[in-house]
Amino acid sequence: MIEWATYVLEDMNKQLERIERSLNLLSDEQIWSKPKDSMNSVGNLCLHLAGNEYQNLVSAIGGKPFIRERTREFTADGGLTRQELIDLLRNTRSRSTEVLTALTNEDLTREVVIRFGHEDWNRMHRSAVSAEEAQDIRVVSRLLIQVSTHYGYHAGQIVVLAKLLQDTDEHISGQYH
């Protein structure tokens, strides 16, 4: 595996460990509760991370079929248990690992197409486009940075939500602070 992909994967795996520690502190009910109606639940954020990682790493970079219901990631209010969410995140990571371990240095400069569901694109960008236009093109190296940063951002949200929902002295991040 190329060095850059190793670093990305190592960081994302640390974030996944933090998410799992957070999930293991919470009941299934807490996982799907929202502190405010305008916020996402821990469960929503887990669905979103799995969807984003699959869309960008497995589908766009890895060339696997595009499968994602982005809107559902934010509208779901249950249906998956803690263990099912952990399994979803781990399975997605396993598939991403296959893609990242196969990358070459030449792949880092390759352009890939990121596909979107037509309705999701229109909601995100607030502009109507045809189904064929609901896509973005990125260079692999830039996409790796964006996906890992996005993952870390939401992992941090999950850690904070877990601490708000279940008061604990545990250092979920594995760091003293």
Side-chain angles (χ1 to χ4, degrees):
M1 180 169 19
I2 60 172
E3 193 172 34
W4 196 351
T6 300
Y7 295 146
V8 167
L9 191 57
E10 284 174 359
D11 186 66
M12 288 181 67
N13 283 337
K14 285 180 191 173
Q15 301 302 334
L16 179 55
E17 289 172 16
R18 292 172 180 148
I19 292 169
E20 286 188 37
R21 280 197 292 270
S22 297
L23 286 168
N24 284 323
L25 291 173
L26 304 174
S27 67
D28 289 343
E29 183 178 313
Q30 288 173 314
I31 287 169
W32 291 102
S33 68
K34 296 180 180 185
K36 294 183 178 183
D37 288 339
S38 62
M39 296 177 71
N40 292 306
S41 68
V42 169
N44 294 130
L45 293 170
C46 289
L47 292 176
H48 177 59
L49 285 175
N52 182 270
E53 182 176 347
Y54 180 89
Q55 176 183 22
N56 290 290
L57 300 185
V58 180
S59 180
I61 296 174
K64 301 296 182 206
F66 169 69
I67 305 167
R68 186 176 185 194
E69 295 179 62
R70 189 177 188 280
T71 300
R72 186 183 149 281
E73 296 163 13
F74 299 105
T75 59
D77 59 1
L80 294 175
T81 65
R82 170 195 317 113
Q83 191 57 54
E84 289 170 327
L85 288 169
I86 290 171
D87 291 346
L88 174 65
L89 291 165
R90 285 182 183 171
N91 180 276
T92 304
R93 181 56 44 80
S94 176
R95 297 187 73 184
S96 296
T97 299
E98 290 175 17
V99 170
L100 293 179
T101 57
L103 287 178
T104 65
N105 282 317
E106 292 76 33
D107 286 323
L108 293 176
T109 58
R110 178 171 50 101
E111 287 187 342
V112 294
V113 174
I114 305 164
R115 302 201 188 291
F116 293 87
H118 184 240
E119 289 181 28
D120 290 333
W121 176 275
N122 290 338
R123 273 194 195 97
M124 290 183 325
H125 298 282
R126 292 181 169 74
S127 61
V129 297
S130 69
E132 296 79 34
E133 295 173 309
Q135 64 185 30
D136 200 357
I137 298 175
R138 298 279 166 81
V139 173
V140 169
S141 59
R142 180 177 175 204
L143 187 56
L144 291 176
I145 292 168
Q146 290 172 326
V147 172
S148 63
T149 302
H150 176 262
Y151 205 92
Y153 169 75
H154 287 307
Q157 288 180 314
I158 290 169
V159 168
V160 169
L161 284 170
K163 290 188 82 94
L164 287 171
L165 292 165
Q166 185 65 47
D167 191 24
T168 179
D169 289 333
E170 182 177 340
H171 297 291
I172 298 171
S173 68
Q175 301 169 336
Y176 179 76
H177 53 296

